[in-house]
Amino acid sequence: MAETKRRVAVVDYGMCNLFSVQRACEHVGLASFVTSDPAAVRTADAAILPGVGAFGEGMRNMVQRGLDDALRDLVARGRPLLGICLGMQMILSQSEEFGDHRGLDLVPGRVVKFALSPGDPGRIRVPQIGWNRLVAPAGYPGCWADTPLQGVADGEYMYFVHSFYAVPRDPGVVLSRTTYSGIEYCSSFRKDRIYATQFHPEKSGPAGIMIYRNFKSFCDE
Amino acid sequence: MTIRLIPRLDIKGPNLVKGIHLEGLRVLGRPEEFARHYYESGADELIYMDVVASLYGRNSLHEIITRTAREIFIPLTVGGGLRTIDDITQVLRAGADKVALNTAALRNPDIIREASRIFGASTIVVAIEAIKQLDGRYLAFTDNGRQETGVEVIGWARQAEELGAGEILITSVDREGTGLGYDLELTRAVTAAVSVPVIAHGGPGRMEHLRQAVAEAQVGGLAVSSLLHYDFLKKGRPGASGVGPEEGNVDFLKSGRLDSRMEPAGLLQIKRFLGSRGVPCRLPNEGEVPGRG
């Protein structure tokens, strides 16, 4: 019982409700603390970057607090990072949301909007709000081994809320694809120990909780 | 994309209640017990509505929200009596994922814009309580359909979207609690007017009513109360755990009588029914269910 528990920093840059992320961590026994202090993020055992809302404002808030560099340092130390929703998008290089914005650029790629087709009766509704399937790109189940999706069934449903989606430059980082109104996009990716999901695992029932459990095991390494 | 089945729990004090036309509330039991049951049987989201909050001008669900959020990992929308940005902050901090605004938004539409900017559009649901007028128009009401506003529903839905609402929850007060089915004309008009997802509420008494709303009104979600609550009461009896309702008119519960118009059904049953009729639904794996530990 003397062992020190790994602690994950839930990065607070004023953009979202962190309660559910903390509850999910608690549920799987992952000790978490909410912080907007770059020093605490820099030295944490791991970090979760959640978020909803606008990319530009999110990045502005991160930079103002020095959290962007803190996360770069954490990643450089080889500690795991999990980006969720807007957090996933900010890990990429840039977004076209309300003008061009630079992201953390930890994984090369960009963020684009679901194309609206007005007037069409079967038109795409944006944001996508609801449950949608994850499809493994190839070689399931092996390709999800040692990733946060380990143990998740191919075709499993997760809960999504978003108007923009990630387009990583290297298709090799894509962990899962999801199709919304005919648009197939990257719904999770992994590069080294950077993991990201467009969906909200903490809102996706038991299957989503499994992702937290997997992330906990990475934090313990 | 799957259709979202969203149990809606109307809450008064510590109790889950259900009325007709949002009035004549009966006590059904403890909301958390119903919520847990719905989570475990595959609910896609939950709605908690404090149905007396508007009367008192405050939402009193914080403790129930927090207890729910500790064990239930699906989105929770909370509404009722949320007047200010601070009110919204409080329920989000308590553990809600989205808020439903009605009265406050009608009084001051700019709160939609402000809340949407601060919390993100996807956090802001605008709830509209519609009552059909003799001339065929639908007007928006507040305070559970008691207070007339003179605001026309379709234009209001469009305005709410422009101001930044991420979803519209459209209630037919005329149908609510009746078991006669959703008001398809109303729902269709709203889905045609806006691009954001629309959740239909008020009226379903059988599974077929749910299918109709998806097929004929292109809704993104179905809020369901009576069908699910009565099914759980028949099968599960929350009283069995020793926690019973503490206030309100519980006679109907003790007598075991249910509305004859209703053909109650559980979530899994509903999802299998919808799936068999070409409406895609999420059928979760029957694996581990968190929340019991």
Side-chain angles (χ1 to χ4, degrees), chain A residues 14-17 19-20 23-24 26-27 52-54 57 116 121 123-133 153 156-162 179-181 201-207 209-210 213, chain B residues 1-2 4 39 43-45 66 69-70 72-76 92-98 117-120 122-123 166-167 191-198 218 281-285 288-291:
Chain A
M15 288 292 284
C16 77
N17 186 9
F19 186 92
S20 54
R23 289 292 82 77
E26 188 180 292
H27 193 79
V52 292
E57 195 173 348
L116 276 167
R123 69 189 166 187
I124 182 165
R125 286 189 187 266
V126 175
Q128 168 176 221
I129 302 182
W131 297 76
N132 207 335
R133 281 177 187 277
E156 181 61 86
Y157 289 99
M158 298 285 172
Y159 188 80
F160 290 82
V161 180
H162 62 127
T179 303
Y180 180 60
S181 285
E202 68 285 353
K203 290 287 134 197
S204 297
I209 292 301
M210 193 181 290
R213 194 160 284 137
Chain B
M1 192 64 179
T2 56
R4 284 176 283 153
Y39 174 57
D44 296 312
E45 297 188 29
T66 300
R70 277 185 197 288
I72 288 182
F73 297 99
I74 53 174
L76 172 63
L92 291 177
R93 254 187 216 149
D97 299 292
K98 310 186 220 181
R117 186 183 59 76
I118 296 172
F119 306 107
S122 57
T123 306
E167 286 179 278
T191 52
V194 299
S195 292
V196 292
V198 174
Q218 289 82 47
C281 289
R282 174 183 74 109
L283 282 166
N285 294 330
E288 177 226 33
V289 176

Side-chain angles (χ1 to χ4, degrees), chain B residues 17 38-39 45 61 83 87 108 134 138 156-157 168 178 182 197 236 244 246 251 263 278 290-291:
Chain B
V17 296
Y38 295 147
Y39 174 57
E45 297 188 29
L61 301 183
R83 293 285 193 273
D87 292 344
N108 168 30
L134 290 172
Y138 289 94
W156 171 230
I168 305 288
T178 64
Y182 292 105
E246 286 165 359
D251 289 349
E263 292 174 22

Side-chain angles (χ1 to χ4, degrees), chain A:
Chain A
M1 297 303 283
E3 102 185 86
T4 319
K5 258 192 165 176
R6 297 290 194 178
R7 297 188 79 216
V8 57
V10 179
V11 183
D12 179 9
Y13 51 103
M15 288 292 284
C16 77
N17 186 9
L18 306 166
F19 186 92
S20 54
V21 170
Q22 279 191 283
R23 289 292 82 77
C25 288
E26 188 180 292
H27 193 79
V28 301
L30 176 57
S32 69
F33 63 103
V34 170
T35 183
S36 52
D37 174 12
V41 171
R42 193 168 276 123
T43 55
D45 294 316
I48 296 178
L49 182 63
V52 292
F55 189 101
E57 195 173 348
M59 277 309 296
R60 198 157 44 244
N61 289 351
M62 296 259 291
V63 172
Q64 262 169 16
R65 292 164 167 85
L67 290 165
D68 53 336
D69 284 337
L71 282 170
R72 289 190 187 100
D73 290 349
L74 175 117
V75 168
R77 280 172 50 228
R79 299 312 306 170
L81 169 65
L82 174 62
I84 298 168
C85 199
L86 178 61
M88 172 198 208
Q89 298 175 1
M90 291 194 303
I91 285 172
L92 297 174
S93 316
Q94 59 176 1
S95 169
E96 63 176 31
E97 183 169 350
F98 307 120
D100 269 347
H101 296 281
R102 291 205 56 75
L104 292 167
D105 203 16
L106 292 166
V107 175
R110 63 204 168 85
V111 178
V112 300
K113 185 163 193 181
F114 283 126
L116 276 167
S117 44
D120 169 8
R123 69 189 166 187
I124 182 165
R125 286 189 187 266
V126 175
Q128 168 176 221
I129 302 182
W131 297 76
N132 207 335
R133 281 177 187 277
L134 307 187
V135 177
Y140 176 85
C143 69
W144 284 351
D146 301 320
T147 80
L149 294 178
Q150 179 165 322
V152 172
D154 193 11
E156 181 61 86
Y157 289 99
M158 298 285 172
Y159 188 80
F160 290 82
V161 180
H162 62 127
S163 303
F164 292 77
Y165 60 92
V167 186
R169 191 183 301 154
D170 173 11
V173 303
V174 175
L175 275 182
S176 68
R177 297 197 160 274
T178 294
T179 303
Y180 180 60
S181 285
I183 298 172
E184 193 191 68
Y185 65 94
C186 166
S187 50
S188 64
F189 64 70
R190 176 235 183 131
K191 185 195 171 211
D192 305 322
R193 301 191 85 191
I194 301 171
Y195 312 99
T197 67
Q198 181 59 66
F199 51 91
H200 292 264
E202 68 285 353
K203 290 287 134 197
S204 297
I209 292 301
M210 193 181 290
I211 289 175
Y212 274 87
R213 194 160 284 137
N214 289 334
F215 186 67
K216 177 185 185 291
S217 71
F218 304 151
C219 298
D220 290 340
E221 282 166 14

Side-chain angles (χ1 to χ4, degrees), chain B residues 66-132:
Chain B
T66 300
R67 284 199 298 272
T68 302
R70 277 185 197 288
E71 56 178 25
I72 288 182
F73 297 99
I74 53 174
L76 172 63
T77 301
V78 172
L82 304 174
R83 293 285 193 273
T84 63
I85 294 296
D86 190 50
D87 292 344
I88 296 171
T89 306
Q90 296 295 326
V91 295
L92 291 177
R93 254 187 216 149
D97 299 292
K98 310 186 220 181
V99 291
L101 304 176
N102 177 14
T103 307
L106 279 162
R107 279 193 196 148
N108 168 30
D110 267 340
I111 197 175
I112 302 173
R113 193 200 308 275
E114 201 186 344
S116 173
R117 186 183 59 76
I118 296 172
F119 306 107
S122 57
T123 306
I124 309 304
V125 180
V126 168
I128 305 178
E129 291 171 2
I131 297 183
K132 193 173 189 174

